[in-house]
Amino acid sequence: MELSPERVLAWRMRRQLLGRPPGTVALDVVERLCGVQAQVSGSAEQAVAARHGQPRAGLAAEALDARTVVKTWAMRGTLHLLPADRAPAYLALIAAARTWERGPWQRTFATADQMAALTEAAREVLDGAVLTREELSAEIIKRTRDDSLAEHLGSGWGALFKPVAWQGHLINGPSDGNRVTFTSPKTWVPGWAGRPEPEEAARVVIPAYLGAFGPASMETFDQWLIRGASRKAALRGWFAGLVRDGVLAEVTVDGRAGYARAGDVAEIAAAEPLDGVRLLPAFDQYVLGPGTRDPMIIDPGRRAAVSRTAGWIAPVLLAGGRVAGTWELNGTRLEVTRFPEAPPVSVAELTAEASWVEAVTGTTLTVAIQ
């Protein structure tokens, strides 16, 4: 079935809660978006607030405190907020690629034997404990008797901790002042389910992804999950099984083949656009889910304005579901840089949309269009 880009984007915006339905809570946002990137904690808070009918600061933090949401290294090796009940499936599907056992990774960070010893040490020491990075690193070195791990364990990038997280043994604990802490999800989350088999995890994660970012190709899904590193035979098998069982349907959008959840196709075909514009924060899933190379949401000539140096993904202005510009805060000014080819946007509608930013920052803002 052929679907129009306009209908797809209208459907995605509603599915990603950008219509701000009443009663939405932080867990709803994290679950619907298949996680919220949290490398920058403030951006994660803003991603939740941008979809909340009554936005305010601290909504994501409260969900973490309630332990309905966890924070750990997940998709593409970046920190994410994940729904606690579905986190094992996301982590299992990432772990299935076993990227830490590949030659380039081992040559850069640690051998497979070192990682196996490190993972076992972390699993043991985090059981029933909450430790700072320094405390956890010291315990791992003590138990493995491998001083060569010290440099990478001390790195803020967490390269050696990511495979431990993906295998379901490590999540972030509560902050200790300005220090990060880690604990075991089995210790922290009531009823934590063990890591499922990849095939079982795929039946959770793939439909969830397509329920927010579909239709999409399996390659787009894999780029979102782990930068294209999944084992290709396994990836094809997961999608083929879901099609065979009637969970997924094959469709085209503007001539490009992809997959959608079978039950969503009619709804996508009938989707009507949302009124008004939307201001989305840095690192928002609306952009990260399909990726910044998706020409349906970002004109290729404007990609550099959104995907910037050092991996920074700029806050964006949406009009008609497409990226129509970027924005930033400069003191009490919310400065919007509109792409000239995008539809015209009024200061009045931007001022109304900026109310969620004001609620999060506690600042009365003046909107300016550049």
Side-chain angles (χ1 to χ4, degrees), residues 172-205:
N172 282 43
S175 295
D176 179 11
N178 61 356
R179 296 193 297 176
V180 173
T181 70
F182 301 109
T183 188
S184 164
K186 184 175 64 174
T187 296
W188 192 249
V189 179
W192 175 263
R195 191 177 48 153
E197 291 299 317
E199 293 75 16
E200 181 184 347
R203 298 188 71 83
V204 173
V205 177

Side-chain angles (χ1 to χ4, degrees), residues 308-360:
R308 300 179 180 175
T309 57
W312 181 262
I313 304 298
V316 298
L317 164 69
L318 291 188
R322 292 182 169 85
V323 174
T326 61
W327 63 274
E328 61 182 10
L329 290 180
N330 184 3
T332 60
R333 283 169 57 88
L334 191 153
E335 298 176 345
V336 177
T337 302
R338 188 183 71 84
F339 299 154
E341 69 278 9
V345 176
S346 71
V347 171
E349 61 184 332
L350 284 171
T351 299
E353 171 63 10
S355 61
W356 75 259
V357 186
E358 294 179 322
V360 172

Side-chain angles (χ1 to χ4, degrees), residues 7-359:
R7 302 281 187 180
V8 168
L9 295 177
W11 178 83
R12 282 187 191 175
M13 289 185 73
R14 285 189 169 84
R15 285 295 300 171
Q16 294 180 42
L17 303 174
L18 289 171
R20 295 162 185 152
T24 298
V25 297
L27 175 58
D28 298 331
V29 176
V30 173
E31 185 172 271
R32 183 65 65 86
L33 298 182
C34 302
V36 170
Q37 187 161 313
Q39 291 286 122
V40 179
S41 296
S43 294
E45 284 285 357
Q46 291 177 4
V48 172
R51 293 163 170 86
H52 203 282
Q54 296 180 307
R56 58 179 173 81
L59 292 167
E62 290 168 11
L64 282 167
D65 289 343
R67 308 188 190 191
T68 58
V69 167
V70 298
K71 181 177 180 179
T72 193
W73 283 288
M75 282 71 76
R76 305 176 305 284
T78 59
L79 286 169
H80 273 70
L81 305 183
L82 295 174
D85 61 344
R86 292 190 178 184
Y90 287 95
L91 298 173
L93 213 57
I94 297 166
R98 310 292 293 185
T99 51
W100 62 93
E101 294 178 352
R102 299 180 184 182
W105 199 96
Q106 292 190 58
R107 289 191 292 273
T108 303
F109 298 111
T111 67
D113 288 343
Q114 285 177 307
M115 278 307 307
L118 183 158
T119 300
E120 180 60 19
R123 185 189 67 79
E124 291 176 354
V125 75
L126 288 175
D127 188 11
V130 176
L131 301 176
T132 65
R133 182 191 302 272
E134 295 75 18
E135 291 168 338
L136 176 57
S137 298
E139 283 292 329
I140 288 172
I141 291 170
K142 176 182 175 181
R143 290 169 184 247
T144 61
R145 299 179 182 177
D146 189 346
D147 292 337
S148 69
L149 298 173
E151 181 179 354
H152 288 305
L153 286 171
S155 167
W157 295 106
L160 297 187
F161 291 132
K162 292 176 186 182
V164 182
W166 296 335
Q167 293 174 83
H169 302 309
L170 177 151
I171 60 172
N172 282 43
S175 295
D176 179 11
N178 61 356
R179 296 193 297 176
V180 173
T181 70
F182 301 109
T183 188
S184 164
K186 184 175 64 174
T187 296
W188 192 249
V189 179
W192 175 263
R195 191 177 48 153
E197 291 299 317
E199 293 75 16
E200 181 184 347
R203 298 188 71 83
V204 173
V205 177
I206 293 172
Y209 173 84
L210 293 173
F213 307 106
S217 67
M218 68 175 72
E219 293 78 14
T220 297
F221 167 80
D222 196 31
Q223 284 294 328
W224 165 81
L225 182 73
I226 194 168
R227 303 188 193 280
S230 293
R231 300 176 191 275
K232 298 305 177 276
L235 184 67
R236 289 191 295 269
W238 299 335
F239 273 82
L242 289 165
V243 171
R244 183 179 60 248
D245 294 343
V247 178
L248 303 185
E250 296 180 74
V251 298
T252 58
V253 181
D254 204 20
R256 294 189 299 165
Y259 298 86
R261 297 190 308 184
D264 291 335
V265 174
E267 187 178 324
I268 296 171
E272 295 293 337
L274 282 173
D275 292 333
V277 297
R278 295 293 184 272
L279 294 171
L280 301 184
F283 301 101
D284 196 82
Q285 293 300 103
Y286 188 86
V287 171
L288 291 175
T292 60
R293 284 189 168 86
D294 185 348
M296 193 163 64
I297 61 167
I298 301 175
D299 184 284
R302 296 295 181 182
R303 182 172 180 258
V306 177
S307 182
R308 300 179 180 175
T309 57
W312 181 262
I313 304 298
V316 298
L317 164 69
L318 291 188
R322 292 182 169 85
V323 174
T326 61
W327 63 274
E328 61 182 10
L329 290 180
N330 184 3
T332 60
R333 283 169 57 88
L334 191 153
E335 298 176 345
V336 177
T337 302
R338 188 183 71 84
F339 299 154
E341 69 278 9
V345 176
S346 71
V347 171
E349 61 184 332
L350 284 171
T351 299
E353 171 63 10
S355 61
W356 75 259
V357 186
E358 294 179 322

